[in-house]
Every structure is written in C-alpha cells, then in structure tokens.
Amino acid sequence: MHDKKKIPPSIQSCLKVIPLQTQTRSRNQPLWSKALAQPAIEFGPTQLAPLAGQIPPGLRGSLYRNGPGRLERGGQRVAHWFDGDGGILAVHFGDTAATGLYRYVQTQGYREEDQAGHYLYGGYGQLASGPLWNRWLRPLKNAANTSVLALPDRLLALWEGGNPHRLDLEDLSTKGLDDLEASLEGNQAYSAHPKRDPQTGEFWNFGVAYQGATSTLNLYHSDATGRVIHKGKVSIEGAPLIHDFALCGRFLVFCVPPVMMQWAGLPLLLGLQSYSQTLQWQADQPTRILIIDRDTLQLVAQAESEPWYQWHFSNGYEAENGTLVVDLLRYPDFKTNEHLREVAEGETHTEATAQLWRLHLDLQTGKVLDRYALLDRPCEFAVVPPAQVGQQAEYTYLNLHPAGANPAQELFGAVGRVDLKTGDLQTAVCGAGLYPMEPIYAPDALNPNQGWIITVVFDGNQSQSEVWIYAADALAQGPACRLALPQIIPLGFHGTWRPR
C-alpha cells in the first residue's frame, strides 16, 4: 500500500414499534462503521490532490454518487440504513485535474428536521415521531438517497417511493421535486434504477402504486432529455417489493419476489408499523417473472419460478436463439433486509449474501429454461459498461468480499470483474479496513478501447475517503490513481458517470 496523506478538514404485534435509536457505540464495531458514525460534512468545489498515480488523460466527465449521508440527528439513529438523508458526491474530471463537492439533497423533510433538530418523519424503516395521529398526518419522508440520473440539463436524485429531486449538474444545488414535465401524477413513485438504451439515449423506468390486494406497476418510457413519451400499466397481485428490472433488447424483464406487505399494508396505513416492518418473506410462494414489450409497454409473457429475492440486476439481452438472458444478484431469501437494518447500527450479525446468477427465459411464455450461478462468491452492485446495457456484454464489474472475510460482519472489501463467457474472475482487493462502493464504469474519451472503473473507498484505518481509479482491464494491478477527498463520504448505494 502507498503511504497515506492526512486529509484536513404475520404481524407479531401491530403495536410493536421500533423507535429511533439513541446513538451508542461499542468497542467491537468494525472499521467500516466509522464511515456512518457521524453525519457527513458538506464541502464545496475542492481540487482533489493525487495520493498516488495520475488522473488518466482520457477521463473526461463527472462522477455522481448518492447514499445516506446522515443517519443521526439530535443523538438519535435512524432505524434502517435506507432512512438516512441523501447526500450527493460529484467529482468533475477536467483536462488535468479533478474537482469534488458534496451536498445534501435539500428535501422538504431534511429542511424541516434540520430546523427542528430532531427527526419528524417516518421512512422505510422508522416511524414518524410523536403520537399515533402524527403518523397518520405525516407522509413518508422522501430521502432522495438511492441513486442518480444525469440528464442533459439536470441531475435527478432518485428515491423509489416518490418523485425524484432536481439538482444542478455542477454545484449540486437542489431545485425541488421533479415530476418529469407533469408525467408523474401527485407524488407518484419513480424507481431508483432507470435503464438507458446506449444507442438511442432513451430510457425506461417504473414505480409501484400499492392498492391493497393488487398493485399497479407504472411504466415510463422517456426520451434522452427525460421527457416521458409513453406510459403503461401492468396489474400485479398483492403488494410486493420491486426494486429493479432488466433491459433486454426489445424487452423489460421484472422478477417479482415473494416479499409482500402484510395485511395489504394496513399496519403501515394505521401508523403501527414501518414499511420495512410490514414486509414478509413468503417462502411458499413463487417468484413471478414478467416480460414487457419496451415499445408498447404491454405485458407479453409471465411465468412463475422457485422463490428468490434480488435487489439488483446486472444486465440482460436477447440471445440469437430467441431467448432472453438475464443476470441478477440472487439471494435465497429476504434476510438481506435485516442485514441492511443492522448496518445503520454500526454492527452486522445477519449473514445475507447474493451470488451472480444467470437466467435463460422463454420469450413466448416467460418460463425459466435454465438457471445457474456465474459467480459462486458473495457479491453485489454489479454493472456493465453503459454502451452494453441491454446487449450482450463481455464483463460485469461488482463488489465482493476478499477471501476469508466474514460476510455477516464485514462489508465489501474488493472490486471484481467477471468474464461472462469464461466465468474468470479478476479481483482487486483494496486492503484490510478499506471498503469500496459500487464500481462505476467510465469510458475513456480519447481511446475507445479503454475504460476505467471508479469507486469511492473508505479507509477505516485512517478515517478518510478517497476516489480510486482502476484500468477496467487491469484491476489486479491496483488503482492507477488515488485522489484524496476532504471529508468522509458515508458508504452509499449507487452512482453514474456523465461524459463531457
């Protein structure tokens, strides 16, 4: 390792409530917990000093990352990692230097709670403060903390329970909610995982509207500017948790896992349980597969398969034999939700691991023709180069655990590249006490045959964050460049690359 520079400034009981947690820390907490122990500190445009190597000359564009930046307010911890207020990191790469800045998304809930000095709103895992009737009157807080979508004239901070927030692409100032030119009616849900066609620039997204015994999968087809040009609806049974989907050539593929809100969400409506508390894994129910025509947004096939859960897909494509191929991060059950809840406490004890799996689907019926693991190691946050989304890709890049790590207690400590033809894995282990976030692929602006993997790494030994840049075809050689960040960036979820 290079020397580091020190950086300066069934309902068990409907009345059972998980309160906001008073902040306490144990001596045994892992090093990654330091990244979440204190609210992130905003910083304005700052030139990032190289700690090692040099910025590749062909890296021209902006990295944007989103994640929960504040998990504590007034000495109280949030009840789930998903409840933290969204904070955006931008790193703008110019001809010779990189400039970073970090800002909280100024949602209405964030501003009100900041003024009050304590939490007011409920979220994914916690209830609104105060008496029961307060929970009836207050909507869930839009945390704007999950992902980002870079459009030509704005950046959208995404949170799948409501409208996105509009931010300035350069200074990250919040401009308010964005209803995509009145396409999102009311506070209609808009997923954190839109998929963009690399050839046309068009993209697709969805949102789930819960309606008791049945729900509606709202579908959106947008042009490259973000304007919704077509909307569709598909009725689905129950009130399932759907987080992501796959673009597969001319089709959209949804795998609807058997995770449902208990009692059709009634405890949530009554303010007795949080959304997370109402979710129940139904092991005796199937995962349902929906295939939707991306042009008409009509359901063309559906089928059932054995139960599994997935947060994320890697990619998908139409094979020459007429089948659809879908790669996803597959969990055997929904224990992942408890593991992610524990992250907010700074200690995890629940082992919940996903593996990279491939499905072959019959296009006419939706039936699973074949299924198998592409990588039999715990992993997550898989991405392919943007130019290969919806098409057959050569490689997928992901986070994984180094050999010997305990996945119940540690967060990911390595970045990997999986050869999707041979199954070969190339791994870059960051080092003891170093934790990378989701790898983002950035194409080289000068060399079409070169790409870069950018990740933000938290160094728990030095309590600092850095931007690491790897050559996409040489992960095992270590980072080509490491850039110092002036403040800790809390471990987060998703990001994107916007070329200049």
Side-chain angles (χ1 to χ4, degrees):
M1 297 297 295
H2 296 279
D3 292 337
K4 305 282 184 180
K5 293 183 181 179
K6 188 173 183 181
I7 310 303
S10 71
I11 306 175
Q12 296 180 359
S13 171
C14 283
L15 296 177
K16 182 180 179 182
V17 172
I18 295 180
L20 295 169
Q21 302 296 312
T22 301
Q23 186 175 10
T24 58
R25 297 184 58 75
S26 100
R27 295 180 179 179
N28 298 322
Q29 284 183 307
L31 289 175
W32 59 257
S33 68
K34 295 181 181 181
L36 304 173
Q38 301 296 329
I41 298 174
E42 295 182 310
F43 57 90
T46 305
Q47 186 166 326
L48 306 184
L51 295 171
Q54 295 182 335
I55 298 172
L59 196 58
R60 309 278 181 85
S62 295
L63 169 74
Y64 298 100
R65 288 207 51 85
N66 195 354
R70 174 181 281 273
L71 302 180
E72 175 273 332
R73 190 181 286 281
Q76 295 178 315
R77 298 290 290 181
V78 294
H80 196 286
W81 195 11
F82 292 175
D83 292 324
D85 292 293
I88 309 294
L89 171 70
V91 181
H92 303 304
F93 291 89
D95 293 342
T96 59
T99 300
L101 64 154
Y102 184 86
R103 298 286 190 223
Y104 283 106
V105 184
Q106 296 293 312
T107 68
Q108 177 182 338
Y110 179 90
R111 294 195 307 269
E112 291 181 9
E113 292 175 340
D114 194 48
Q115 184 174 8
H118 60 85
Y119 286 114
L120 301 171
Y121 287 87
Y124 176 88
Q126 70 187 45
L127 296 170
S129 63
L132 185 62
W133 53 86
N134 239 20
R135 303 175 202 150
W136 301 336
L137 297 175
R138 290 190 188 276
L140 295 184
K141 181 174 66 176
N142 184 330
N145 66 0
T146 311
S147 191
V148 281
L149 174 62
L151 298 174
D153 62 345
R154 64 200 190 275
L155 182 72
L156 298 185
L158 304 176
W159 178 77
E160 62 199 38
N163 289 182
H165 280 76
R166 177 194 296 242
L167 280 68
D168 185 275
L169 284 163
E170 294 300 320
D171 65 16
L172 302 182
S173 56
T174 303
K175 307 301 182 182
L177 288 170
D178 193 317
D179 63 4
L180 304 183
E181 300 182 12
S183 296
L184 303 178
E185 302 168 5
N187 192 35
Q188 203 164 32
Y190 191 76
S191 157
H193 287 286
K195 298 294 188 293
R196 191 192 304 263
D197 184 298
Q199 297 178 336
T200 67
E202 298 170 290
F203 58 89
W204 286 260
N205 205 354
F206 73 97
V208 180
Y210 298 109
Q211 299 156 334
T214 61
S215 299
T216 298
L217 184 66
N218 291 310
L219 302 164
Y220 310 105
H221 175 193
S222 300
D223 65 18
T225 71
R227 182 177 64 91
V228 176
I229 56 180
H230 188 200
K231 295 195 291 186
K233 294 184 177 182
V234 173
S235 180
I236 48 179
E237 296 180 12
L241 175 60
I242 306 175
H243 182 70
D244 194 5
F245 71 107
L247 174 62
C248 302
R250 298 172 296 154
F251 301 93
L252 314 178
V253 173
F254 290 82
C255 296
V256 184
V259 175
M260 298 283 176
M261 283 197 289
Q262 302 173 70
W263 298 73
L266 183 61
L268 175 65
L269 295 175
L270 294 177
L272 300 174
Q273 289 186 325
S274 71
Y275 176 76
S276 177
Q277 288 175 287
T278 68
L279 295 174
Q280 184 180 57
W281 172 252
Q282 300 178 348
D284 60 340
Q285 297 297 311
T287 285
R288 289 171 285 165
I289 296 170
L290 311 178
I291 300 176
I292 295 167
D293 185 293
R294 79 176 203 175
D295 293 323
T296 66
L297 299 184
Q298 297 293 312
L299 181 68
V300 298
Q302 58 182 318
E304 296 182 349
S305 189
E306 75 276 10
W308 75 76
Y309 183 74
Q310 82 285 319
W311 288 112
H312 303 120
F313 291 81
S314 172
N315 196 31
Y317 65 94
E318 290 183 72
E320 293 181 356
N321 62 4
T323 63
L324 297 182
V325 180
V326 181
D327 296 341
L328 54 83
L329 286 306
R330 173 171 165 154
Y331 294 85
D333 51 38
F334 195 50
K335 291 178 183 177
T336 172
N337 194 45
E338 175 62 13
H339 177 85
L340 295 170
R341 184 196 68 79
E342 294 169 349
V343 169
E345 298 178 344
E347 290 184 74
T348 56
H349 308 283
T350 300
E351 183 169 343
T353 57
Q355 295 179 339
L356 180 65
W357 274 64
R358 170 162 288 182
L359 309 178
H360 293 263
L361 307 179
D362 185 293
L363 179 54
Q364 303 302 318
T365 66
K367 181 180 178 181
V368 178
L369 301 174
D370 198 6
R371 61 181 74 74
Y372 49 87
L374 290 170
L375 181 65
D376 60 356
R377 288 180 56 176
C379 55
E380 250 293 2
F381 299 120
V383 302
V384 299
Q388 297 174 356
V389 170
Q391 305 170 20
Q392 186 170 7
E394 295 180 83
Y395 305 101
T396 191
Y397 301 85
L398 39 67
N399 288 141
L400 67 163
H401 291 286
N406 183 346
Q409 298 177 346
E410 280 289 355
L411 300 190
F412 295 113
V415 176
R417 186 188 77 168
V418 180
D419 186 314
L420 296 173
K421 290 184 179 179
T422 66
D424 291 343
L425 172 67
Q426 185 178 148
T427 305
V429 177
C430 295
L434 288 93
Y435 304 94
M437 298 190 211
E438 174 193 50
I440 302 297
Y441 186 97
D444 191 281
L446 303 178
N447 181 358
N449 297 317
Q450 178 66 64
W452 304 94
I453 294 297
I454 310 176
T455 184
V456 176
V457 175
F458 174 67
D459 184 343
N461 305 295
Q462 303 295 326
S463 293
Q464 64 187 41
S465 294
E466 303 173 7
V467 176
W468 287 21
I469 303 166
Y470 293 89
D473 58 354
L475 293 183
Q477 295 180 14
C481 181
R482 290 176 28 236
L483 301 172
L485 287 164
Q487 301 289 346
I488 291 174
I489 304 301
L491 298 168
F493 302 134
H494 302 291
T496 192
W497 174 259
R498 178 177 182 261
R500 292 291 187 192

